[in-house]
Amino acid sequence: MHKLGISVYPEHSTPEKDHEYMKLAAKYGFSRIFTCLLSVNKPKEEIIAEFSDFVGKAHELGFMVAADTNPQVFKHLGATPYDLSVFADMGLDVIRLDGNFGELEDRLITRNPQGIKIEFNASSDVSVDHLIRHGADPANILMCHNFYPERYTGLSRKVFDQFNRKWKGLGLHTAAFVSSNNKNTYGPWPVYNGLCTMEADRGLPIDLQTRHLLATEAIDDILIGNAYGSEEELKAMSQVDMTKNTIVMNPVEGLCETELRVLREYHHAGRADASEFLIRSSMPRLSCRDASIPHRDCGQDMFVRGDVVVVNDNLGHYRGEVEVILKDIPNDGERNLVGKIPKEEFLILDRMEENPDHFWDFIIR
């Protein structure tokens, strides 16, 4: 099951503001919190006291809390891979390792008696497969990607997919970040260009970022990297259907009742015997044998990438088939244009093209 999460940075805010944000996120079904100990520059006793209070409030609201750490944080707090008791005293559920200790310690830390989950950096080529083969506990391992505050430094699609093939091949739970577009947001460092994992997501509406990560079919949990997301953004993420891939389509005017029905009432899936020109959702044909879809001129000589069409009465055997155009084809009168996928949604269309027989639904606006 997918989880939504937020990021909270107590060293840059107040307990009151953080608590209000956590309550707001909990209202919309968020259940994970990411926080960072890397940027906290306080005495050990203050850190333990402040984060213990913070984590306690988060647990009261039903959140699981993960904290970013590295060997320097361990040393400052008096922890070692052999002894995580200080993190247990703080109540942390997950320790994310931004940096490693060495093969023996990285294996041993996954078998800590406190049962704290260990989250490795999914955006690096850490040899988790090697650790598992040599005794690390896969049931206690999570993977979480980096976020990238500096513009143009987020992961490329190719690198993101390359890493995820490895983690999903090992059956590991994954998380990645989207970014709030709210004003005056921040993260652990004084950089303010958003905190997303994939560069392609930077600046996009947060629901589109969320649907994009879902469409990769490789990410389990989706977290907002910067604080604070707006209530509108939290609500928009909560309204994303996490059970399937969805893509926005802007309908044209004058659709007949049958066209509207086949667009809205089906969970679409293309065919495995896929064409390079279009994705075919053939199941709607079954309900259109006795229906009529008259030909309607759309004024286009060619259908282009992102056009959504429905086969009409001029090709009666295939009447009602819903097709998403991938490459330009002539408009020969056998298909009606029913809508257009906006250009910003093409990053999801690209994913649909890679997996044409997977399920997807239209969001009709």
Side-chain angles (χ1 to χ4, degrees):
M1 177 182 293
H2 298 284
K3 293 180 180 178
L4 297 176
I6 57 173
S7 297
V8 181
Y9 305 102
E11 74 275 20
H12 297 312
S13 185
T14 66
E16 294 76 20
K17 288 181 180 179
D18 288 341
H19 195 221
E20 287 303 310
Y21 185 47
M22 290 189 289
K23 287 196 293 185
L24 184 63
K27 170 185 169 182
Y28 288 105
F30 285 63
S31 58
R32 280 195 61 164
I33 287 177
F34 171 84
T35 191
C36 183
L37 287 168
L38 305 182
S39 54
V40 182
N41 186 21
K42 292 183 178 181
K44 169 184 174 180
E45 292 73 18
E46 285 187 40
I47 294 174
I48 294 172
E50 290 179 7
F51 273 79
S52 296
D53 182 65
F54 160 67
V55 173
K57 287 183 169 62
H59 284 168
E60 289 174 4
L61 292 167
F63 286 101
M64 178 183 81
V65 183
D68 212 11
T69 70
N70 61 16
Q72 289 72 37
V73 170
F74 270 62
K75 182 178 180 180
H76 182 60
L77 294 178
T80 72
Y82 304 88
D83 181 8
L84 304 184
S85 56
V86 65
F87 297 117
D89 292 342
M90 293 162 66
L92 289 171
D93 305 290
V94 181
I95 296 170
R96 184 178 187 271
L97 297 182
D98 188 45
N100 303 99
F101 291 96
E103 181 187 326
L104 175 62
E105 289 81 3
D106 284 352
R107 283 187 283 150
L108 183 67
I109 199 172
T110 69
R111 295 189 174 275
N112 66 87
Q114 293 87 359
I116 297 174
K117 300 284 186 183
I118 306 302
E119 198 164 56
F120 288 92
N121 184 352
S123 300
S124 70
D125 198 19
V126 60
S127 299
V128 176
D129 50 345
H130 176 83
L131 298 178
I132 292 172
R133 285 198 305 272
H134 293 276
D137 183 1
N140 219 29
I141 294 175
L142 305 173
M143 304 301 302
C144 181
H145 281 280
N146 281 340
F147 49 50
Y148 295 88
E150 185 181 358
R151 197 177 297 278
Y152 308 118
T153 63
L155 295 184
S156 70
R157 170 179 166 150
K158 178 180 178 181
V159 171
F160 185 74
D161 290 349
Q162 177 181 307
F163 283 133
N164 289 328
R165 280 193 294 271
K166 180 176 181 179
W167 313 137
K168 299 318 287 185
L170 293 171
L172 298 175
H173 193 91
T174 58
F177 292 93
V178 296
S179 184
S180 167
N181 294 309
N182 203 10
K183 292 181 180 180
N184 301 317
T185 62
Y186 57 88
W189 316 113
V191 185
Y192 306 100
N193 290 318
L195 289 178
C196 50
T197 292
M198 293 184 71
E199 188 61 37
D201 289 334
R202 198 182 304 273
L204 295 178
I206 204 164
D207 65 309
L208 176 53
Q209 296 179 59
T210 302
R211 290 186 292 109
H212 180 214
L213 287 182
L214 286 174
T216 69
E217 300 188 1
I219 297 300
D220 297 300
D221 298 346
I222 299 173
L223 317 174
I224 303 174
N226 47 350
Y228 300 118
S230 69
E231 180 168 4
E232 291 76 16
E233 289 177 320
L234 296 174
K235 182 178 180 180
M237 284 183 69
S238 74
Q239 291 176 336
V240 171
D241 188 337
M242 310 292 278
T243 67
K244 55 180 169 290
N245 296 326
T246 52
I247 190 164
V248 167
M249 184 198 76
N250 296 323
V252 302
E253 295 183 356
L255 300 186
C256 71
E257 184 177 332
T258 304
E259 288 171 322
L260 288 169
R261 177 167 53 80
V262 298
L263 289 171
R264 289 175 170 164
E265 294 184 5
Y266 281 85
H267 297 300
H268 296 283
R271 296 169 57 122
D273 54 342
S275 162
E276 66 180 296
F277 291 94
L278 45 82
I279 299 171
R280 303 172 61 190
S281 176
S282 295
M283 291 302 293
R285 288 162 41 188
L286 299 177
S287 66
C288 293
R289 290 170 177 167
D290 299 320
S292 177
I293 303 177
H295 170 254
R296 185 180 60 256
D297 183 20
C298 67
Q300 292 183 202
D301 294 328
M302 301 289 291
F303 293 124
V304 300
R305 185 175 182 83
D307 284 352
V308 181
V309 300
V310 172
V311 177
N312 60 41
D313 291 342
N314 291 341
L315 194 62
H317 181 73
Y318 296 96
R319 181 192 299 113
E321 181 167 280
V322 179
E323 300 172 347
V324 179
I325 305 301
L326 301 174
K327 295 176 70 173
D328 293 5
I329 62 171
N331 179 0
D332 57 10
E334 295 176 344
R335 298 171 174 87
N336 289 351
L337 179 69
V338 294
K340 288 181 173 287
I341 294 170
K343 287 289 197 301
E344 61 268 21
E345 296 277 328
F346 278 17
L347 74 176
I348 294 180
L349 180 58
D350 293 343
R351 297 291 180 173
M352 290 169 55
E353 185 174 7
E354 290 176 357
N355 300 296
D357 60 334
H358 291 202
F359 284 104
W360 46 273
D361 278 11
F362 292 116
I363 300 173
I364 299 177
R365 293 179 175 169

